[in-house]
Every structure is written in C-alpha cells, then in structure tokens.
Amino acid sequence: MSSSEQESSTPSEISSPVTAATIKRVEEGVAAASDRTIRQMIADTLFQLESIHEQNSPARINSGIRRFVLRSLIHWVFQVKVENLEKIPQKPAILAVNHLHHIDPLLLLAELPTQPYYYILGDARTLYNKCWKRLILRIAGGVIPLARMWKEELAVIQAAKAGREDLNNLAQVIEKTVPTGGDIHTLRQIDRIVLGILAHGDSLILFPEGRLGNTEGQLHLPLKRGTVIYALRAGVPIVPVALIGTQDLYWGKELTVRFGEPLHFTPTARPKREEIEAALETLQNTMLSLLPTDYQEPIGLKPLRHFLNHILW
C-alpha cells in the first residue's frame, strides 16, 4: 500500500452537511479540475520534482528569501508565538502537523529554519485554483501538488446516493472530472518524489489528519499512515508540531507554533503493519499532548475575519 494514502479521505469520514456554501465550493473545485492550465501546471510540477530522485534540484526560491517574505507578511497581520524551535533537527526530517486552516503551511515556513529546505505536500486545486497563487508558486516552488477529492465533493456524492436528486448531476460531474489521486501511477509518483526529497537532504511538512480539522485542540482521527511509512522507509525522524489558533483568523490574533521532541524509529525498507501501527500510535499520542485541552476562542472585535478566513480558499 502506498504511503500517499495519508492525504485521501474515505466516504465514511465525510459527514458534512451539503449547504449552499458547500455546493458553491464544489462547483469551484470542479471548475479547477477542468481547467487545462491547472492540470498542466500540476503535471509539470510533479515532473520537475521527480528530478530530485536523480539528485537534481528543480527551480525553487531561496529558503531565506521565502522565510523573510512570509514572516514579514504573517507577523504584520498576526501575533505569532513559537515554542521549542530548537527541537528541530538540522537534518532531513518530517514535520507532522495538525491542520486547521490553509494558512498553516505558510505559518510554518515563516518560522522554520532555512536549512534544510522544506517541501509541503498540499492539495493541488487549493494550491493552483487562482491566478495569483499559480504565479507565486511558479516562482517559489517547494510544493508537492496532490490530486484528490475534497471532503465537500465526497459529501455531495454521498448526499446524491442518499436521495438528494438535486445533486445527482453535480455528483456525476465530480466523479467524471475530479481525480481521486488513488491510481497506481499517481501514488507511485508521489512516493518517488517524497523519498527523493528526503534522500536529497531536504525535509517535508505533512498533515497526517489528511484533511482540515474543525475544532481547536482536537485531531481528526485516525491519523493517516503515510507520514510514519515515509519516516520508516527514509530513516528520518518525525517532529510533531501543534498549531494553535489558526482555525478562525482575524487581524491581530495570537497564533502559536509548538514543536515537540523528535520521534526516532528503526529504519526499514518494507515496514510491517505492527511497526506502522506502533509508530502511528506514538505519533498520535505525542501530537495530542502538544495540543491545548482547554482552548478558548478570544472574544471581542475580530477585524477582517471573513477576508482572512477565505483568502486562501
């Protein structure tokens, strides 16, 4: 089984109600999946990233410049608190992070050391669905676009099968147009890219929940297995990370990035199920221990709340 399963969602995990906002989001997603420019950029990016497997580096922005720009922007808008940054090893590693908002990877890149270079495995259509995003990412690089169905799309398909006749046509378009990312070619390509990045001396940011969470201080469980499979196969540590405060954004909000102790596992080219499950349980418990148990959302004025929560959609 490919380790890329970490970013897949199964129908049993999707229970979101299908609202007008959901339908609008799905229609935008289907349009992005049908866009030739987006499809071509995803294919080109994956092709370039595969060159890392051959000890070549694709075009990418200098990590110091990337960090400076992101840090300047994010610190201008938010108050950022970083805890235990010294725990990050100065060698290839995988950061395993809870996921509450599309800003999460940008927040991390604004605070991480410039070496090693960090790549992000992210949803392809969310990365490329707007012209300004494509322009920035074409210059910056450093992302691995992953094709998959969104939880909203799976919710529409489920609702149509459950009797929502008004969603039948949209569900059919989704199944016809949107790639699941589960085909063997794609899974193997992502595996080659990820393992090539780690072998090349770079690092990864992964979100083992496999989707955006809905609640501060909680993880969407069970975690996907890909993160620990990559770590076991590549022989690199996993650094658990907790992001706190990013689920609901507004100007001036305090966001916390909390790093945990690196987790080291015995490397193995063919990890056994019990090794994977044991490592996954350790990772899950460690990530939970970093999250607050009594998070309270601040009250009061929340300037630019809608804008900041939707700009990266």
PDB file of all heavy atoms in Angstrom, residues 11-30:
ATOM      1  N   PRO A  11     -15.270   7.908   2.036  1.00  0.00           N
ATOM      2  CA  PRO A  11     -16.629   8.367   2.227  1.00  0.00           C
ATOM      3  C   PRO A  11     -17.116   8.247   3.662  1.00  0.00           C
ATOM      4  O   PRO A  11     -17.901   9.056   4.131  1.00  0.00           O
ATOM      5  CB  PRO A  11     -17.420   7.462   1.277  1.00  0.00           C
ATOM      6  CG  PRO A  11     -16.451   7.124   0.194  1.00  0.00           C
ATOM      7  CD  PRO A  11     -15.134   6.998   0.895  1.00  0.00           C
ATOM      8  N   SER A  12     -16.657   7.231   4.380  1.00  0.00           N
ATOM      9  CA  SER A  12     -17.093   7.041   5.752  1.00  0.00           C
ATOM     10  C   SER A  12     -16.623   8.163   6.665  1.00  0.00           C
ATOM     11  O   SER A  12     -17.169   8.372   7.745  1.00  0.00           O
ATOM     12  CB  SER A  12     -16.576   5.702   6.286  1.00  0.00           C
ATOM     13  OG  SER A  12     -15.167   5.686   6.294  1.00  0.00           O
ATOM     14  N   GLU A  13     -15.591   8.912   6.233  1.00  0.00           N
ATOM     15  CA  GLU A  13     -15.075  10.003   7.042  1.00  0.00           C
ATOM     16  C   GLU A  13     -15.823  11.302   6.791  1.00  0.00           C
ATOM     17  O   GLU A  13     -15.662  12.271   7.523  1.00  0.00           O
ATOM     18  CB  GLU A  13     -13.588  10.251   6.735  1.00  0.00           C
ATOM     19  CG  GLU A  13     -12.669   9.113   7.117  1.00  0.00           C
ATOM     20  CD  GLU A  13     -11.251   9.444   6.710  1.00  0.00           C
ATOM     21  OE1 GLU A  13     -11.041   9.734   5.520  1.00  0.00           O
ATOM     22  OE2 GLU A  13     -10.360   9.404   7.556  1.00  0.00           O
ATOM     23  N   ILE A  14     -16.629  11.347   5.739  1.00  0.00           N
ATOM     24  CA  ILE A  14     -17.244  12.592   5.315  1.00  0.00           C
ATOM     25  C   ILE A  14     -18.696  12.630   5.775  1.00  0.00           C
ATOM     26  O   ILE A  14     -19.526  11.862   5.313  1.00  0.00           O
ATOM     27  CB  ILE A  14     -17.193  12.738   3.773  1.00  0.00           C
ATOM     28  CG1 ILE A  14     -15.768  12.524   3.280  1.00  0.00           C
ATOM     29  CG2 ILE A  14     -17.723  14.070   3.342  1.00  0.00           C
ATOM     30  CD1 ILE A  14     -14.763  13.469   3.867  1.00  0.00           C
ATOM     31  N   SER A  15     -18.995  13.516   6.682  1.00  0.00           N
ATOM     32  CA  SER A  15     -20.356  13.621   7.190  1.00  0.00           C
ATOM     33  C   SER A  15     -20.844  15.066   7.170  1.00  0.00           C
ATOM     34  O   SER A  15     -21.790  15.411   7.845  1.00  0.00           O
ATOM     35  CB  SER A  15     -20.430  13.062   8.615  1.00  0.00           C
ATOM     36  OG  SER A  15     -19.516  13.731   9.471  1.00  0.00           O
ATOM     37  N   SER A  16     -20.160  15.925   6.409  1.00  0.00           N
ATOM     38  CA  SER A  16     -20.510  17.338   6.381  1.00  0.00           C
ATOM     39  C   SER A  16     -21.865  17.534   5.709  1.00  0.00           C
ATOM     40  O   SER A  16     -22.158  16.908   4.690  1.00  0.00           O
ATOM     41  CB  SER A  16     -19.451  18.131   5.614  1.00  0.00           C
ATOM     42  OG  SER A  16     -18.183  17.929   6.170  1.00  0.00           O
ATOM     43  N   PRO A  17     -22.721  18.415   6.247  1.00  0.00           N
ATOM     44  CA  PRO A  17     -23.991  18.717   5.579  1.00  0.00           C
ATOM     45  C   PRO A  17     -23.738  19.453   4.273  1.00  0.00           C
ATOM     46  O   PRO A  17     -22.792  20.231   4.163  1.00  0.00           O
ATOM     47  CB  PRO A  17     -24.713  19.612   6.589  1.00  0.00           C
ATOM     48  CG  PRO A  17     -23.620  20.228   7.409  1.00  0.00           C
ATOM     49  CD  PRO A  17     -22.544  19.187   7.493  1.00  0.00           C
ATOM     50  N   VAL A  18     -24.577  19.194   3.286  1.00  0.00           N
ATOM     51  CA  VAL A  18     -24.420  19.839   1.986  1.00  0.00           C
ATOM     52  C   VAL A  18     -25.257  21.113   1.984  1.00  0.00           C
ATOM     53  O   VAL A  18     -26.473  21.085   1.804  1.00  0.00           O
ATOM     54  CB  VAL A  18     -24.840  18.900   0.848  1.00  0.00           C
ATOM     55  CG1 VAL A  18     -24.686  19.607  -0.495  1.00  0.00           C
ATOM     56  CG2 VAL A  18     -24.001  17.630   0.876  1.00  0.00           C
ATOM     57  N   THR A  19     -24.595  22.230   2.173  1.00  0.00           N
ATOM     58  CA  THR A  19     -25.242  23.539   2.208  1.00  0.00           C
ATOM     59  C   THR A  19     -25.011  24.256   0.882  1.00  0.00           C
ATOM     60  O   THR A  19     -24.287  23.763  -0.006  1.00  0.00           O
ATOM     61  CB  THR A  19     -24.664  24.381   3.349  1.00  0.00           C
ATOM     62  OG1 THR A  19     -23.261  24.604   3.070  1.00  0.00           O
ATOM     63  CG2 THR A  19     -24.794  23.659   4.683  1.00  0.00           C
ATOM     64  N   ALA A  20     -25.608  25.429   0.752  1.00  0.00           N
ATOM     65  CA  ALA A  20     -25.387  26.236  -0.444  1.00  0.00           C
ATOM     66  C   ALA A  20     -23.917  26.601  -0.582  1.00  0.00           C
ATOM     67  O   ALA A  20     -23.364  26.626  -1.690  1.00  0.00           O
ATOM     68  CB  ALA A  20     -26.248  27.500  -0.395  1.00  0.00           C
ATOM     69  N   ALA A  21     -23.261  26.881   0.556  1.00  0.00           N
ATOM     70  CA  ALA A  21     -21.832  27.206   0.528  1.00  0.00           C
ATOM     71  C   ALA A  21     -21.017  25.999   0.085  1.00  0.00           C
ATOM     72  O   ALA A  21     -20.032  26.144  -0.650  1.00  0.00           O
ATOM     73  CB  ALA A  21     -21.376  27.670   1.911  1.00  0.00           C
ATOM     74  N   THR A  22     -21.425  24.807   0.516  1.00  0.00           N
ATOM     75  CA  THR A  22     -20.738  23.579   0.094  1.00  0.00           C
ATOM     76  C   THR A  22     -20.842  23.404  -1.410  1.00  0.00           C
ATOM     77  O   THR A  22     -19.860  23.098  -2.087  1.00  0.00           O
ATOM     78  CB  THR A  22     -21.348  22.354   0.798  1.00  0.00           C
ATOM     79  OG1 THR A  22     -21.226  22.508   2.211  1.00  0.00           O
ATOM     80  CG2 THR A  22     -20.633  21.079   0.366  1.00  0.00           C
ATOM     81  N   ILE A  23     -22.043  23.601  -1.931  1.00  0.00           N
ATOM     82  CA  ILE A  23     -22.261  23.435  -3.370  1.00  0.00           C
ATOM     83  C   ILE A  23     -21.428  24.436  -4.159  1.00  0.00           C
ATOM     84  O   ILE A  23     -20.811  24.086  -5.172  1.00  0.00           O
ATOM     85  CB  ILE A  23     -23.757  23.569  -3.705  1.00  0.00           C
ATOM     86  CG1 ILE A  23     -24.537  22.405  -3.072  1.00  0.00           C
ATOM     87  CG2 ILE A  23     -23.980  23.603  -5.217  1.00  0.00           C
ATOM     88  CD1 ILE A  23     -26.038  22.547  -3.191  1.00  0.00           C
ATOM     89  N   LYS A  24     -21.379  25.669  -3.696  1.00  0.00           N
ATOM     90  CA  LYS A  24     -20.569  26.678  -4.378  1.00  0.00           C
ATOM     91  C   LYS A  24     -19.100  26.289  -4.377  1.00  0.00           C
ATOM     92  O   LYS A  24     -18.413  26.395  -5.400  1.00  0.00           O
ATOM     93  CB  LYS A  24     -20.742  28.038  -3.697  1.00  0.00           C
ATOM     94  CG  LYS A  24     -19.928  29.156  -4.350  1.00  0.00           C
ATOM     95  CD  LYS A  24     -20.120  30.487  -3.635  1.00  0.00           C
ATOM     96  CE  LYS A  24     -19.266  31.574  -4.280  1.00  0.00           C
ATOM     97  NZ  LYS A  24     -19.394  32.881  -3.583  1.00  0.00           N
ATOM     98  N   ARG A  25     -18.618  25.822  -3.230  1.00  0.00           N
ATOM     99  CA  ARG A  25     -17.222  25.393  -3.118  1.00  0.00           C
ATOM    100  C   ARG A  25     -16.943  24.231  -4.068  1.00  0.00           C
ATOM    101  O   ARG A  25     -15.907  24.191  -4.732  1.00  0.00           O
ATOM    102  CB  ARG A  25     -16.955  24.978  -1.669  1.00  0.00           C
ATOM    103  CG  ARG A  25     -15.619  24.309  -1.405  1.00  0.00           C
ATOM    104  CD  ARG A  25     -14.499  25.295  -1.416  1.00  0.00           C
ATOM    105  NE  ARG A  25     -13.280  24.693  -0.887  1.00  0.00           N
ATOM    106  CZ  ARG A  25     -12.058  25.105  -1.186  1.00  0.00           C
ATOM    107  NH1 ARG A  25     -11.877  26.110  -2.007  1.00  0.00           N
ATOM    108  NH2 ARG A  25     -10.999  24.531  -0.645  1.00  0.00           N
ATOM    109  N   VAL A  26     -17.874  23.276  -4.157  1.00  0.00           N
ATOM    110  CA  VAL A  26     -17.706  22.126  -5.043  1.00  0.00           C
ATOM    111  C   VAL A  26     -17.691  22.569  -6.505  1.00  0.00           C
ATOM    112  O   VAL A  26     -16.881  22.080  -7.304  1.00  0.00           O
ATOM    113  CB  VAL A  26     -18.820  21.094  -4.792  1.00  0.00           C
ATOM    114  CG1 VAL A  26     -18.824  20.029  -5.888  1.00  0.00           C
ATOM    115  CG2 VAL A  26     -18.621  20.438  -3.426  1.00  0.00           C
ATOM    116  N   GLU A  27     -18.568  23.468  -6.867  1.00  0.00           N
ATOM    117  CA  GLU A  27     -18.603  23.955  -8.250  1.00  0.00           C
ATOM    118  C   GLU A  27     -17.287  24.630  -8.616  1.00  0.00           C
ATOM    119  O   GLU A  27     -16.791  24.469  -9.746  1.00  0.00           O
ATOM    120  CB  GLU A  27     -19.785  24.903  -8.436  1.00  0.00           C
ATOM    121  CG  GLU A  27     -21.130  24.199  -8.388  1.00  0.00           C
ATOM    122  CD  GLU A  27     -22.308  25.163  -8.385  1.00  0.00           C
ATOM    123  OE1 GLU A  27     -22.097  26.367  -8.092  1.00  0.00           O
ATOM    124  OE2 GLU A  27     -23.440  24.726  -8.659  1.00  0.00           O
ATOM    125  N   GLU A  28     -16.715  25.383  -7.678  1.00  0.00           N
ATOM    126  CA  GLU A  28     -15.405  25.993  -7.915  1.00  0.00           C
ATOM    127  C   GLU A  28     -14.331  24.914  -8.072  1.00  0.00           C
ATOM    128  O   GLU A  28     -13.437  25.034  -8.913  1.00  0.00           O
ATOM    129  CB  GLU A  28     -15.050  26.926  -6.759  1.00  0.00           C
ATOM    130  CG  GLU A  28     -15.920  28.174  -6.679  1.00  0.00           C
ATOM    131  CD  GLU A  28     -15.666  28.972  -5.413  1.00  0.00           C
ATOM    132  OE1 GLU A  28     -14.938  28.458  -4.526  1.00  0.00           O
ATOM    133  OE2 GLU A  28     -16.189  30.102  -5.294  1.00  0.00           O
ATOM    134  N   GLY A  29     -14.421  23.874  -7.248  1.00  0.00           N
ATOM    135  CA  GLY A  29     -13.446  22.790  -7.325  1.00  0.00           C
ATOM    136  C   GLY A  29     -13.523  22.027  -8.631  1.00  0.00           C
ATOM    137  O   GLY A  29     -12.501  21.673  -9.228  1.00  0.00           O
ATOM    138  N   VAL A  30     -14.732  21.782  -9.099  1.00  0.00           N
ATOM    139  CA  VAL A  30     -14.917  21.093 -10.375  1.00  0.00           C
ATOM    140  C   VAL A  30     -14.371  21.938 -11.524  1.00  0.00           C
ATOM    141  O   VAL A  30     -13.730  21.419 -12.455  1.00  0.00           O
ATOM    142  CB  VAL A  30     -16.413  20.773 -10.593  1.00  0.00           C
ATOM    143  CG1 VAL A  30     -16.653  20.304 -12.035  1.00  0.00           C
ATOM    144  CG2 VAL A  30     -16.876  19.710  -9.609  1.00  0.00           C
TER     145      VAL A  30
END
